[in-house]
Amino acid sequence: MNISVIGTGYIGSVTGACLAEMGHTIVFVGRDTKKLDIIRAGRSPIFEPGLDTLLTKNRDRIETTTDLVSAVEKTELTFICVGTPPNKDGSSDLSQIREVSQTLGKALKSNNRFPTIVTKSTVLPGTIEGVIIPILEKESGKKAGTGFGIASNPEFLKEGTAVEDFFHTDRVVIGVSDGKTKDLLENLYRPLNVPIFTTTLRTSEMIKFASNAFLATKISFANEIGNLCRELGIDSYEVFEGVGLDTRINPKFFRSGLGFGGSCFPKDVNALIAHAKSRGITPRILNSVIATNDDQPRRMVALLKTHINPRGRTIGVLGLAFKPDTDDIRESRAIPVIRMLLEEGASVKVYDPVAMANFKKICPDLTYAGSASELLDSDAVLIVTEWDEFNRLDYTGKLVIDGRRLPKARKEAAVYEGLCW
Ligand code: UDX
């Protein structure tokens, strides 16, 4: 099939590359010509294991353009993968969605086939029916479901394992309102041989938010129980190993510690909170999920202070990415930890295998170490991201506050404090 993908961020580049690997011809549409050039050269515009390989291997089936209208003209299916960043009040900024919908609507006007528009961007329930369809219909003069197809197809990929997640997802979720679009998308995903859950547009949109909110809840729950376990001298990892054996619960996403960051959990939970409030519903659980998450970095710094006064001391921070195997620092727990250390008067030395360049853009004045081992001569070491290479360092004689439970640090450090164990 000929498919256009609008947006070259995480969702767009992974979706396009993986669909190309499935044998489809892909047109990437973007505004950033540098990124498009990188894709055209068969390389990945983002740091994501396995993505380079797919883009190189399928180069012959991949085109790039800045011209959305021409891309839609030559493709049957168009995926909207643009960003929906948070506004100050937590709600989603839909300006890119609106802009793309307007251009798409114009492109649909002269298109006499039955082009199908699929929203992969994370949008709150009701956005496709309340925002996207009205714009498309107004600009094209056509009706959704008869003049063009419309669908929701939320993405559940995790950064760092996105390619693997695409091909081995637990489920594909499709929201549709007409039979033709339903068949088209179900056929597209059938070769993956994974469960396909087809439902209405707004239910599909809600599945994405409920999934992310539940996973974030699981982490904050593990952290709350973990904080208590620590006080009681109990190992929360052992507790959740035992809890997770209950198949109704399952053991995943119970890793307690510094809490969640990234481009999805904080943003999506806050967007759901703002949405609930706007409908007169008090989201008590979701408010607590965020509050618990916000408190973990403070607990880390408080633990450090039980051993040394950070003022005038050099504190080493291992890890800046919001999780390993990515250079993404969005909402990384390193940000509040470092902010609090600076407020305490510490001199902060940091290291991350791939995220330092991104971090320098927001915090240029820190000391950036040349290697992880170089950072170990700090007065204390805080483990913020569990990169594999941090588990090969020699922690003998060190004071370590661990937010991610690195086995080697736990075994070797002279003074070791685990955040939730
Ligand atoms: C998440 C969802 O997992 C994915 O389905 C959705 O599409 C996008 O958001 P991602 O943000 O890439 O993916 O990473 P994920 O592995 O889920 O981790 C998110 C954050 O939670 C990280 O900061 C991680 O360190 C933290 N986390 C995760 C924990 O603190 N404990 C856990 O047990 C799991």
Side-chain angles (χ1 to χ4, degrees), residues 155-159 208 253 255 260-261 264 322-323:
E155 186 49 70
F156 300 100
L157 60 84
K158 300 187 291 303
E159 290 182 24
K208 166 76 185 195
F253 274 68
R255 293 193 317 274
F260 57 82
C264 290
F322 83 95
K323 68 174 197 175

Side-chain angles (χ1 to χ4, degrees), residues 11 122 154-161 165 171 208 211-212 215-216 218-219 222-223 237 251-266 268 293 321-324 326 328 330-333 384-386 403-404:
I11 297 186
T122 300
E155 186 49 70
F156 300 100
L157 60 84
K158 300 187 291 303
E159 290 182 24
T161 54
D165 290 347
R171 82 306 205 185
K208 166 76 185 195
S211 298
N212 274 355
L215 291 171
K218 243 186 139 174
I219 297 168
N223 286 339
Y237 276 63
K252 292 179 188 161
F253 274 68
F254 271 145
R255 293 193 317 274
S256 57
L258 250 188
F260 57 82
S263 63
C264 290
F265 287 168
D268 293 353
N293 198 53
F322 83 95
K323 68 174 197 175
T326 176
D328 196 340
R330 282 175 287 179
E331 299 288 333
S332 168
R333 301 293 76 201
V384 168
T385 316
E386 66 277 34
R404 298 296 181 190

